[in-house]
Amino acid sequence: HSCLTLYLCSFPTPLFSSAASVQHQVEPVGRWFEALVKRRARNVSASFHELEEEKESSSESEDEELQLEEYPLLKTLDPKDWKNQDHYAVLGLVHSRYKATQKQIKAAHKAMVLKHHPDKRKAAGEQIGEGDNDYFTCITKANEILSDPIKRRAFDSVDPTFDNTIPSKSEAKDNFFEVFSAGFERNARWSNKKHVPKLGDLNSIIEEVDYFYSFWYDYDSWREFSYLDEEEKEKAECRDERRWIDKQNRAARAQRKKEEMNRIRTLVGKSEQAELETARLAKEKEEEEARQQALQIKKEKEIQKKAIKKERQKLRTVCKNWNYFSDNHAESVKMMEEVEKLCDRLELISLQALNEVLASSAKDEGKTAVEKQIQEVNAQMAKEKEEAEARVRQAMKSSEHSAGGGGGGGGGRAWQEDDLQLLIKAVNLFPAGTNARWEVIANFINSHSTSGIKRTAKDVINKAKNLQKLDPVQKDEINRKAFEKFNKEHSTAAAAVDKAVPSERFEAPGADTNPWTAEEQKLLEQALKSYPVNTAERWEKIAATVPGRTKKDCMKRYKELVEMVKAKKAAQDQVNATRPKK
């Protein structure tokens, strides 16, 4: 190499002259030639090799003080069986192993030579074996293997201390991530690719999980098994024998490589199965915890419900025993209504506090406490009512504004509250499927409105669409007002009408909390036909045929049906009258 170096450096003219650029082919020599051979053997680029060398030199410069551990079986080793020895243990690097740097290996070898060299031992009076039969040959062989990157990689591939086992699902039953993470981290040492992904945990996102398993299913391992070759082709007597030995070795390596990749795939497959099982168990546990929590909440609600019921009954009993704090029947009835209001509105804590005051007070003091609570509840209800009305007014203004005037009312005129309630009532009176429904609704509004504004079918449709955009609270408030007006206008009994009782259900806006079912409606219709107007105790008999309904309920329902029939007939007649005759 030195001669070649002198030759390359003794060119009579520069390689690149300023007069003309002449390209010459040169070859690396010395340590550069050695680096090229190593790169080709490892199949890496020059830049990668330089980075590795720089990294190694950096780590070597930062090595801590070398700590060697004497191999207790060193003197019993058979130099002829060097292939089965642990080279790291021989040099005292049993803990560092594949992580040991070249600097550490050199230092370890030097220390072993100083201690176990035959000349040194012979001078100390120790009997030395002849030739290569001395155990010192094992130290020399270990240094030879570990100092050569190619031979060292071959030995590292079959590291006798490496754990090739694959965790089972039973082992990972209670701690999947810890068990399988260790397995993947062990095998990550063989990866050609840097930055091997971690297994993660239950909080890992799906993209991380997909990348992890894709990486390991396409795992690129540098692990090879040339160290286990049974025959050395250098010992062959002829070329044909060398070829035969090389062929046998390649086949054995390929088989071991195939088994290795099957082992990795088994690790990945078992990991996926175990992870799915872990995720399933975690989900079941989470669902069970949620179910238990829901049961606990339900139980607490039941306890609260029973407690409130108990406190309400206690309040009613105390007030009843004191005749609702008055000897006047009318005042007692009014106070009874107010007490029921307290029972409906007060929370458990407030009811308990009020009952404690009543239990420890005289009648007059109790009355004062109840009246004070009634005032607070009424004030709160008035405030809520005012807020609800304000929301309704605001919603109506918003709907008028969004309608742009043209769809908000006839001739661009706004809808008054009375007309709005008429619209809600008409929409309930004339459900979908009514012939010329929107014209009928418009005529109904025009015939009952006191505003003098004539609405068209288009006006009614646009306004109904705007009302659909209101939130439920605003709808309920408008319905409540419409129903209050309905009750006010129809407080007197309607004339008896036995004809054309409709079979369809009718629920007025803001209807009772106990609406009539289709079966109850059918029973009522049959009873009206069975017991005509001149029947004695007619309504008592009708109520008896409708289970769960009182005489008052039946009469009220009958009045609603009468009003509906009249309204429908009048609106339909008006539509028919305005249509051109054929």
Side-chain angles (χ1 to χ4, degrees), residues 86 425 434:
D86 186 345
K425 179 180 177 182
T434 302

Side-chain angles (χ1 to χ4, degrees), residues 80-84 158 224-236 241-242 244-256 259:
K80 296 179 181 178
D81 194 28
W82 61 268
K83 206 166 190 179
N84 293 323
V158 295
E224 48 95 8
F225 301 92
S226 61
Y227 190 84
L228 300 178
D229 290 348
E230 294 183 3
E231 300 287 344
E232 297 182 31
K233 64 180 182 180
E234 289 78 7
K235 296 181 181 179
E241 186 177 357
R242 282 196 300 271
W244 182 85
I245 292 174
D246 188 49
K247 182 179 179 181
Q248 295 298 315
N249 288 339
R250 285 201 308 270
R253 293 176 197 173
Q255 180 61 30
R256 292 189 179 101
E259 292 171 357

Side-chain angles (χ1 to χ4, degrees), residues 125-183:
E126 184 179 336
Q127 187 69 27
I128 305 300
E130 296 181 1
D132 292 337
N133 294 326
D134 188 71
Y135 72 87
F136 185 76
T137 304
C138 296
I139 297 176
T140 304
K141 198 66 179 179
N143 182 62
E144 176 189 338
I145 296 294
L146 299 182
S147 296
D148 187 310
I150 298 175
K151 293 180 179 179
R152 183 182 179 184
R153 171 166 283 202
F155 175 71
D156 284 342
S157 294
V158 295
D159 188 342
T161 64
F162 180 73
D163 183 6
N164 284 291
T165 60
I166 297 174
S168 63
K169 290 193 291 184
S170 59
E171 292 174 331
K173 183 177 181 180
D174 298 325
N175 202 343
F176 161 77
F177 290 101
E178 181 177 342
V179 172
F180 272 90
S181 287

Side-chain angles (χ1 to χ4, degrees), residues 88-106:
Y88 288 112
V90 168
L91 293 183
L93 298 171
V94 68
H95 293 301
S96 302
R97 303 198 69 77
Y98 71 95
K99 295 180 181 179
T101 63
Q102 284 300 318
K103 182 179 179 181
Q104 289 175 326
I105 292 172
K106 290 176 184 178

Side-chain angles (χ1 to χ4, degrees), residues 172-422:
K173 183 177 181 180
D174 298 325
N175 202 343
F176 161 77
F177 290 101
E178 181 177 342
V179 172
F180 272 90
S181 287
F184 282 108
E185 287 173 6
R186 286 198 307 271
N187 288 277
R189 64 183 282 189
W190 315 120
S191 178
N192 271 319
K193 298 178 182 178
K194 304 302 176 183
H195 309 296
V196 179
K198 301 292 185 182
L199 180 58
D201 52 37
L202 279 174
N203 297 321
S204 299
I205 60 176
I206 188 63
E207 289 79 10
E208 294 174 342
V209 177
D210 288 342
Y211 175 69
F212 174 84
Y213 284 109
S214 296
F215 179 92
W216 281 97
Y217 270 116
D218 299 328
Y219 187 58
D220 182 14
S221 172
W222 58 258
R223 194 179 190 187
E224 48 95 8
F225 301 92
S226 61
Y227 190 84
L228 300 178
D229 290 348
E230 294 183 3
E231 300 287 344
E232 297 182 31
K233 64 180 182 180
E234 289 78 7
K235 296 181 181 179
E237 296 180 357
C238 63
R239 183 173 62 181
D240 290 340
E241 186 177 357
R242 282 196 300 271
R243 287 179 177 176
W244 182 85
I245 292 174
D246 188 49
K247 182 179 179 181
Q248 295 298 315
N249 288 339
R250 285 201 308 270
R253 293 176 197 173
Q255 180 61 30
R256 292 189 179 101
K257 186 70 173 182
K258 181 179 179 181
E259 292 171 357
E260 167 67 5
M261 298 315 297
N262 286 338
R263 187 183 68 85
I264 294 294
R265 281 191 286 271
T266 301
L267 171 65
V268 178
K270 283 191 175 182
S271 172
E272 274 195 307
Q273 294 175 4
E275 184 167 6
L276 290 174
E277 181 68 12
T278 300
R280 184 184 66 80
L281 293 175
K283 183 178 180 181
E284 289 180 356
K285 182 179 179 182
E286 183 179 350
E287 290 176 350
E288 178 62 21
E289 290 176 353
R291 191 179 70 83
Q292 292 296 334
Q293 186 177 4
L295 288 175
Q296 182 64 25
I297 293 174
K298 183 178 180 181
K299 185 177 179 180
E300 291 175 358
K301 285 183 177 180
E302 289 294 329
I303 294 174
Q304 177 117 350
K305 185 177 179 181
K306 290 180 180 179
I308 290 177
K309 185 177 181 181
K310 180 180 178 181
E311 295 298 327
R312 287 173 177 171
Q313 189 58 41
K314 189 184 296 185
L315 176 61
R316 292 188 185 103
T317 301
V318 172
C319 293
K320 182 179 180 180
N321 292 339
W322 282 340
N323 199 24
Y324 294 95
F325 309 104
S326 178
D327 295 330
N328 185 287
H329 179 69
E331 292 180 359
S332 296
V333 172
K334 183 178 180 181
M335 180 59 75
M336 185 188 304
E337 295 175 354
E338 297 294 341
V339 168
E340 288 300 318
K341 190 186 297 181
L342 291 181
C343 291
D344 292 338
R345 298 280 301 186
L346 292 183
E347 299 291 339
L348 177 60
I349 297 177
S350 300
L351 282 170
Q352 290 174 337
L354 180 58
N355 284 329
E356 289 177 2
V357 171
L358 294 178
S360 60
S361 304
K363 181 177 180 179
D364 293 339
E365 295 174 349
K367 181 179 180 181
T368 303
V370 171
E371 288 177 343
K372 180 181 178 182
Q373 196 70 63
I374 290 171
Q375 290 175 0
E376 292 177 0
V377 169
N378 286 335
Q380 181 64 28
M381 292 178 66
K383 182 180 178 182
E384 292 174 0
K385 180 180 179 181
E386 184 179 346
E387 291 174 352
E389 290 176 349
R391 287 196 298 270
V392 171
R393 288 193 295 271
Q394 183 62 35
M396 291 174 64
K397 289 180 181 179
S398 300
S399 63
E400 294 295 345
H401 179 72
S402 63
R413 287 166 289 191
W415 283 71
Q416 297 179 2
E417 187 172 344
D418 289 347
D419 287 358
L420 188 62
Q421 292 174 0
L422 282 172

